[in-house]
Amino acid sequence: GAVVSQHPSWVICKSGTSVKIECRSLDFQATTMFWYRQFPKQSLMLMATSNEGSKATYEQGVEKDKFLINHASLTLSTLTVTSAHPEDSSFYICSASTAGLGETQYFGPGTRLLVL
Amino acid sequence: AQSVTQPDIHITVSEGASLELRCNYSYGATPYLFWYVQSPGQGLQLLLKYFSGDTLVQGIKGFEAEFKRSQSSFNLRKPSVHWSDAAEYFCAVPGSSNTGKLIFGQGTTLQVKP
């Protein structure tokens, strides 16, 4: 149980285009989903927290107009990288939980984005 | 403020040898503690978690961790390492607010020698 999927697993796009990444909880309802970014050989950097039906909460320094997050249902959240640039190339990972202090986060397999 | 420190950035052990990965935390109350593992190019998989009760926690893949309040530690152990255990290991604690956020340590890269 507690499986989280991400799609696509990898994507290559041209600079200036937008890319949408989907995160789904397959066998449970996730009231909260988290989006992380990870650079090579580094830890995870939390970008934003999204709760179903409400606006995402972005971490300091994360551009909310560039990284659009939608959490339309209890099993789906999307991250759209708008007007992508090469510096947005990274490994993006989502996780899902039933929220609350101490609740376990279950992670997706990640999406590798390369912007040319 | 909550924080997690993994003192060892990189550890190499021989296959079959025992393993201990260190994790120290700073937390205002009795913490919830997690260990995750990340294989190259993959997401994170939960190895084990401590919420309360028995301070020795058993996880998947033969891993265990011991919560020691006096040392503010939650070290991960495995008695005999397999080559497939080579991966990145992250210790985590919840953030300060009731949002479900996790604060991750810097990670420890485990290399297994044949």
Side-chain angles (χ1 to χ4, degrees):
Chain A
V3 178
V4 177
S5 70
Q6 271 184 254
H7 178 79
S9 55
W10 60 271
V11 56
I12 301 173
C13 69
K14 292 182 179 179
S15 185
T17 60
S18 295
V19 174
K20 180 184 283 188
I21 302 170
E22 291 187 351
C23 177
R24 293 181 184 272
S25 57
L26 299 184
D27 51 3
F28 68 104
Q29 292 187 327
T31 52
T32 304
M33 288 185 170
F34 303 86
W35 287 95
Y36 296 86
R37 185 173 180 176
Q38 187 179 34
F39 292 103
K41 305 294 185 184
Q42 294 189 26
S43 188
L44 282 73
M45 182 191 80
L46 180 64
M47 299 175 65
T49 303
S50 84
N51 292 292
E52 184 264 340
S54 62
K55 290 184 178 180
T57 302
Y58 290 81
E59 295 299 301
Q60 192 171 7
V62 177
E63 299 177 61
K64 59 182 66 177
D65 293 331
K66 180 164 191 63
F67 299 100
L68 301 179
I69 292 172
N70 181 270
H71 193 159
S73 77
L74 287 172
T75 60
L76 173 64
S77 176
T78 60
L79 167 68
T80 302
V81 183
T82 62
S83 186
H85 291 285
E87 57 265 31
D88 299 324
S89 299
S90 193
F91 192 51
Y92 293 88
I93 307 175
C94 74
S95 71
S97 80
T98 52
L101 185 67
E103 287 296 333
T104 301
Q105 288 186 27
Y106 297 95
F107 285 81
T111 296
R112 185 152 316 270
L113 170 63
L114 177 60
V115 184
L116 302 177
Chain B
Q2 284 76 1
S3 67
V4 178
T5 302
Q6 293 179 244
D8 306 304
I9 295 174
H10 191 278
I11 283 184
T12 300
V13 299
S14 297
E15 189 168 17
S18 63
L19 170 71
E20 182 169 37
L21 302 182
R22 295 185 290 166
C23 171
N24 295 103
Y25 66 87
S26 174
Y27 199 80
T30 300
Y32 300 108
L33 294 156
F34 303 84
W35 272 102
Y36 286 89
V37 60
Q38 183 180 33
S39 297
Q42 299 295 315
L44 276 68
Q45 181 182 22
L46 179 69
L47 282 176
L48 48 80
K49 58 186 179 184
Y50 171 78
F51 280 5
S52 65
D54 193 345
T55 56
L56 185 62
V57 181
Q58 301 298 320
I60 62 171
K61 303 185 179 185
F63 285 92
E64 66 177 27
E66 186 171 13
F67 168 57
K68 293 185 177 180
R69 185 190 302 276
S70 61
Q71 298 177 18
S72 297
S73 70
F74 188 57
N75 294 349
L76 182 71
R77 301 193 295 247
K78 186 169 184 177
S80 177
V81 170
H82 188 263
W83 64 265
S84 61
D85 293 323
E88 189 82 11
Y89 291 80
F90 293 96
C91 183
V93 296
S96 56
S97 57
N98 190 24
T99 60
K101 287 184 188 181
L102 288 177
I103 298 173
F104 286 90
Q106 304 91 316
T108 298
T109 301
L110 173 64
Q111 183 178 359
V112 180
K113 294 190 301 185

